[in-house]
Amino acid sequence: MSTHRARRSRRLPLLAVVAAAGVAAPSVAAADTPATADTTRPAAVQAPDDYYQDATGKSGPELKAALHTIISEQTKLSYDEVWDALKSTDEDPDNPSNVILLYSGRSQAKDANGSDPDDWNREHVWAKSHGDFGTATGPGTDLHHLRPANVKVNSTRGNKDFDNGGEEVPDAPGNRTDDDSFEPRDQVKGDVARMILYMAVRYDGDDSFPDLEPNDKVDNGSAPNIGRLSVLKKWSAEDPPDDFEKNRNEVIYDRFQHNRNPFIDHPEWVDSIWK
């Protein structure tokens, strides 16, 4: 018998509201210009009032455990289904025919997805080799850490941990890399951090999946760890959730997985769990 609680009621889609406000992204004519989110506007979406009720008043390990239970109630996608889902979650609000690529910030046609060097493909922000979960349904297909990325830039990132420093990445201004780490552009540093921390809460060793946990080092290899935690915490604080990220969280919740990234809704919980 399932021990899952009944799914909480969900808000109606608010894509039209968010599309009218939120992200200043490039048009088709300026497809090579990085997207810049407007973080000065108020959030257009938020979690239902009762979604986090079981986490209220908790901190540290108790908060992490409560959030794990809450966000583990989700619908799982196949890896093929991820293609179409990303075309909705990462849609360019200024051009519904395009998606915004995570690292380069470019607006690119939704149907330009594939394996050619100039296509976009599915980037596992928590590198799938860190825990060896591959593309199996579960962590390998979780939309909360899968993003559209240019094929060449995705290959450059590979399975490197996250840290500051390195040489600038060709075709992706603002991103830097060296032998064992990758630094994303400033506009998505917080996004990357919150995706990593979501994965650490959602996948804690049950469901036959590895226990994922960030640590404060790089070059983690195939261990179910990724770093650097201290840098990720700083990125999350310096780059708070913008309207594009908040809308993405809502689309995943409402249309696909029916769970949320708690660190987008409550960035302050990062420091509460990882002191």
Side-chain angles (χ1 to χ4, degrees):
M1 179 180 298
S2 173
T3 59
H4 285 273
R5 296 168 294 175
R7 182 172 295 148
R8 299 174 173 86
S9 60
R10 301 197 301 278
R11 293 169 62 95
L12 293 174
L14 294 170
L15 294 178
V17 176
V18 180
V23 182
S27 65
V28 175
D32 290 336
T33 304
T36 303
D38 182 354
T39 59
T40 64
R41 300 179 185 179
V45 292
Q46 61 184 11
D49 291 340
D50 64 344
Y51 187 75
Y52 295 114
Q53 63 183 5
D54 293 343
T56 301
K58 294 181 171 64
S59 63
E62 288 187 351
L63 174 59
K64 185 180 180 184
L67 292 177
H68 170 74
T69 299
I70 293 168
I71 67 177
S72 293
E73 296 181 22
Q74 70 180 101
T75 298
K76 298 181 177 68
L77 280 67
S78 72
Y79 199 46
D80 283 341
E81 289 173 328
V82 168
W83 282 121
D84 286 335
L86 291 179
K87 294 175 183 179
S88 296
T89 60
D90 291 75
E91 181 177 290
D92 181 346
D94 285 349
N95 183 352
S97 297
N98 286 16
V99 292
I100 300 294
L101 307 189
L102 176 63
Y103 298 128
S104 63
R106 290 204 303 266
S107 178
Q108 187 160 339
K110 289 179 177 179
D111 61 4
N113 60 302
S115 58
D116 290 339
D118 292 324
D119 286 344
W120 65 267
N121 62 3
R122 297 159 292 185
E123 155 73 331
H124 290 79
V125 176
W126 185 295
K128 58 185 181 289
S129 63
H130 289 237
D132 196 27
F133 52 77
T135 59
T137 298
T141 65
D142 196 311
L143 291 173
H144 282 294
H145 86 118
L146 286 162
R147 299 291 293 267
N150 172 266
V151 169
K152 290 185 290 187
V153 178
N154 193 351
S155 178
T156 297
R157 188 265 158 139
N159 66 350
K160 295 175 181 176
D161 295 80
F162 293 103
D163 199 1
N164 293 313
E167 300 294 326
E168 191 163 72
V169 176
D171 302 316
N175 297 265
R176 311 183 75 84
T177 191
D178 55 25
D179 291 341
D180 55 18
S181 70
F182 190 90
E183 177 186 350
R185 60 193 175 100
D186 290 346
Q187 295 88 340
V188 296
K189 278 184 165 72
D191 306 49
V192 166
R194 287 180 284 273
M195 285 186 276
I196 292 296
L197 300 179
Y198 161 88
M199 293 292 283
V201 171
R202 170 60 186 89
Y203 301 100
D204 71 348
D206 57 12
D207 294 341
S208 75
F209 296 122
D211 183 0
L212 305 181
E213 192 64 40
N215 60 18
D216 210 37
K217 65 178 185 177
V218 296
D219 202 15
N220 277 289
S222 62
N225 306 111
I226 205 163
R228 295 185 183 267
L229 176 58
S230 58
V231 173
L232 293 169
K233 289 176 61 180
K234 184 178 180 183
W235 289 352
S236 182
E238 292 178 347
D239 175 36
D242 58 35
D243 287 339
F244 186 89
E245 188 181 2
K246 291 174 183 177
N247 180 62
R248 188 176 196 278
N249 197 28
E250 184 72 11
V251 174
I252 293 172
Y253 174 71
D254 190 78
R255 295 181 55 187
F256 296 104
Q257 293 185 180
H258 313 304
N259 71 339
R260 305 181 71 88
N261 182 332
F263 304 111
I264 296 174
D265 295 322
H266 290 276
E268 72 276 9
W269 283 345
V270 172
D271 284 334
S272 180
I273 294 175
W274 290 279
K275 300 181 185 297

